Amino acid sequence: MTAHDSVPEFCPPPPMSVRLDVEVVREEAREAVVFVRGELDRASVPLLVGCLRELLHTDGTDRTVVVNLVGTTFVDVGGMCALLEATGSARRRGSRLYLAGCSTQLVRLLHLTDLFDEVQVISSGRT
């Protein structure tokens, strides 16, 4: 993917009580990076799930989606479960979903729940 070809898209704005921003950048026809900023919790999960569902279920299979979590300040169990479900959905459709910029806390939670091997994490050195 090349940065100069990127076309950013924004998902619909969340309700005022939700502190999450999701930006989708499509750099190639079947590749996208989803930048997540804010708190990924029970209240904000539907926004991210909707965006990922649209990316993964539009125009067939064989997609690559990277969810960049560097801008997240908090990810709770509901957020983690949503990322796991999206990963499984991508796999079932013959696509790939990667997590980048995971916080130490999210990686620890994935290990504690024995779910780390269920996701594909791109190491970013974030601590």
Side-chain angles (χ1 to χ4, degrees):
M1 293 192 256
T2 59
H4 59 73
D5 295 332
S6 63
V7 179
E9 298 174 26
F10 291 92
C11 291
M16 292 304 290
S17 62
V18 176
R19 297 175 300 269
L20 188 74
D21 178 49
V22 178
E23 177 186 356
V24 178
V25 177
R26 294 179 198 243
E27 297 181 351
E28 300 288 335
R30 297 201 171 281
E31 298 176 351
V33 179
V34 179
F35 293 92
V36 182
R37 295 176 199 90
E39 298 180 7
L40 184 56
D41 58 17
R42 177 183 221 166
S44 62
V45 160
L47 175 64
L48 179 60
V49 167
C51 287
L52 293 176
R53 184 176 296 128
E54 184 176 326
L55 282 171
L56 293 168
H57 295 273
T58 304
D59 299 330
T61 60
D62 193 29
R63 297 193 163 283
T64 299
V65 175
V66 176
V67 179
N68 186 319
L69 299 165
V70 168
T72 57
T73 55
F74 176 75
V75 179
D76 72 1
V77 174
M80 180 190 73
C81 289
L83 294 168
L84 288 164
E85 288 174 22
T87 299
S89 178
R91 243 184 238 129
R92 287 187 296 277
R93 295 189 56 77
S95 295
R96 292 151 308 282
L97 188 135
Y98 299 94
L99 304 180
C102 296
S103 68
T104 303
Q105 291 81 8
L106 177 57
V107 171
R108 185 176 307 137
L109 185 58
L110 288 164
H111 279 295
L112 286 172
T113 55
D114 284 331
L115 295 170
F116 186 81
D117 292 334
E118 300 298 316
V119 295
Q120 296 183 44
V121 176
I122 298 171
S123 177
S124 65
R126 180 178 172 186
T127 57

